[in-house]
Amino acid sequence: MELIDLTLIWVLLIGFGVFMYVLMDGFDLGVGILFPFAPSEESRDEMMNSVAPVWDGNETWLILGGAGLLAAFPMIYSVFLPALYIGVFLLLAGLIFRGIAFEFRFKATTQKHWWDYAFFGGSTVASFAQGAVIGSYVQGFNVVDGRYVGGAFDWLTPFTLMTGLGVVAGYALLGVTWTIMKTEGKTQDWAFKLAPRLLVIVLGFFVLVSIWTPLTNERVMTRWFDHVNWLWIFPALTIAFAAWVFVQLRKRAETAPFLGSMTLFSMFYLGILISMWPLAVPPNYTFWDAASDPGSQLFLLIGFMFLIPIVLGYTAWTYWVFRGKVKRGAGYAGH
């Protein structure tokens, strides 16, 4: 048993789960953020039809990551929840609003616009809350003897507002490139026009976060600026992928911009991990400090070894079944 680092295995598992959630739920949240700006009611129908068959399956990764976090790293739960009660409430409330909007918008005949507002509002609030939680993690928590001793609004700072808005912009980019890939005609033309502007906005947030984060966290400053090292390859790759996405948009490529946007998010995610590793509860506690008993980790790990292939399997099957372009009047609404 001593030869196996269960804590490291759980860090990799939960990191993978969060990564999958950000990529797979990010684009359907982005579709909701873009909803009011769509050129017509028909375009909104197409956009919602494109994500309706997959959105709830995408959120499986959020549940998987949360359950794993509770069992493998209970200290993170005991600190994050009291520190982020309001942020987590906003996240869940947003997800509930958009979930209800999915079901009722298709059935509405005279009040459809109210469900459009619910879909947009729920998607935007949930995305902003996720960004604010990331910002709170970076700026750290006021913890004494393993217990959170700060206030309910300590998470609400200019830095977390900025990270919240950054994630909203990033998800909107994922949503618009997904729309390019899944639609045709006027809806796709509108998405092609909007995507380069969103790409510029996302790069603006990338620059802002890159400057502001080291000023917020001394440890991050030391990691990135004490020595010029291989870590700088990630910002360089981010800029290179952004340029590639821009070129693909100019060529009106349909799939490449979405894949490129997902790669950009992968680079952002790696940047956060590199900046904060190995801290689980900044600024003092590592993942090994926050880990549960090895027996508990091993017991749950056995279950996850069976569960993750099943989730990956039905996720891949769902995307295969609903591959291709969305047709107006077909898809989820037609069921």
Side-chain angles (χ1 to χ4, degrees):
M1 286 299 299
E2 294 179 355
L3 296 176
I4 301 174
D5 191 338
L6 288 171
T7 298
L8 183 59
I9 292 173
W10 271 107
V11 170
L12 294 173
L13 277 177
I14 293 174
F16 176 71
V18 173
F19 178 69
M20 290 297 288
Y21 171 75
V22 168
L23 286 187
M24 307 200 76
D25 207 33
F27 70 80
D28 65 56
L29 285 166
V31 167
I33 293 167
L34 296 171
F35 224 50
F37 310 103
S40 66
E41 193 64 32
E42 289 76 18
S43 295
R44 279 188 278 277
D45 289 342
E46 288 181 56
M47 291 165 69
M48 183 167 269
N49 283 348
S50 73
V51 296
V54 297
W55 74 273
D56 43 2
N58 293 341
E59 291 182 359
T60 303
W61 294 103
L62 180 64
I63 298 169
L64 205 63
L69 203 63
L70 174 63
F73 301 102
M75 182 183 179
I76 297 179
Y77 245 80
S78 69
V79 172
F80 277 43
L81 273 187
L84 300 169
Y85 269 139
I86 296 174
V88 172
F89 167 77
L90 290 174
L91 168 62
L92 296 178
L95 294 178
I96 291 170
F97 261 88
R98 69 193 303 272
I100 295 171
F102 266 112
E103 300 302 327
F104 284 88
R105 185 181 182 278
F106 289 126
K107 299 176 175 61
T109 53
T110 58
Q111 302 294 325
K112 186 180 278 189
H113 62 284
W114 289 112
W115 300 113
D116 290 347
Y117 295 147
F119 188 51
F120 164 69
S123 301
T124 305
V125 169
S127 303
F128 176 82
Q130 290 178 27
V133 168
I134 294 170
S136 300
Y137 170 64
V138 171
Q139 71 183 8
F141 300 93
N142 191 2
V143 179
V144 175
D145 296 331
R147 296 178 56 194
Y148 179 68
V149 296
F153 289 95
D154 284 6
W155 62 275
L156 191 59
T157 64
F159 180 72
T160 58
L161 288 175
M162 183 271 296
T163 54
L165 293 174
V167 168
V168 171
Y171 282 174
L173 178 64
L174 285 174
V176 80
T177 52
W178 168 266
T179 302
I180 289 171
M181 188 173 69
K182 296 293 288 185
T183 64
E184 299 172 304
K186 291 181 180 178
T187 307
Q188 190 188 56
D189 290 340
W190 163 78
F192 266 121
K193 289 178 183 174
L194 184 60
R197 300 172 194 172
L198 283 170
L199 179 60
V200 170
I201 293 172
V202 169
L203 285 178
F205 275 108
F206 170 69
V207 172
L208 196 57
V209 169
S210 300
I211 295 171
W212 202 336
T213 301
L215 298 176
T216 301
N217 189 317
E218 188 176 342
R219 184 189 183 92
V220 177
M221 173 77 83
T222 302
R223 177 150 300 174
W224 285 91
F225 292 98
D226 263 15
H227 306 283
V228 176
N229 53 42
W230 61 271
L231 295 179
W232 284 93
I233 194 173
F234 291 102
L237 283 173
T238 301
I239 295 171
F241 277 117
W244 184 74
V245 171
F246 184 78
V247 170
Q248 297 305 312
L249 289 170
R250 292 290 299 271
K251 292 180 178 178
R252 290 184 67 88
E254 295 187 341
T255 303
F258 179 63
L259 297 178
S261 300
M262 293 182 83
T263 307
L264 278 179
F265 256 80
S266 304
M267 293 294 107
F268 298 154
Y269 188 72
L270 282 173
I272 293 171
L273 290 181
I274 291 169
S275 298
M276 301 305 294
W277 179 261
L279 293 177
V281 183
N284 298 320
Y285 297 95
T286 68
F287 284 101
W288 284 264
D289 297 326
S292 61
D293 179 78
S296 301
Q297 289 185 334
L298 181 60
F299 178 76
L300 195 66
L301 181 62
I302 294 171
F304 266 58
M305 287 173 62
F306 290 97
L307 190 61
I308 288 180
I310 293 173
V311 175
L312 285 172
Y314 75 64
T315 300
W317 177 252
T318 303
Y319 278 87
W320 173 255
V321 169
F322 292 99
R323 66 190 182 279
K325 297 287 185 181
V326 172
K327 302 296 181 185
R328 189 171 300 165
Y332 190 80
H335 285 260

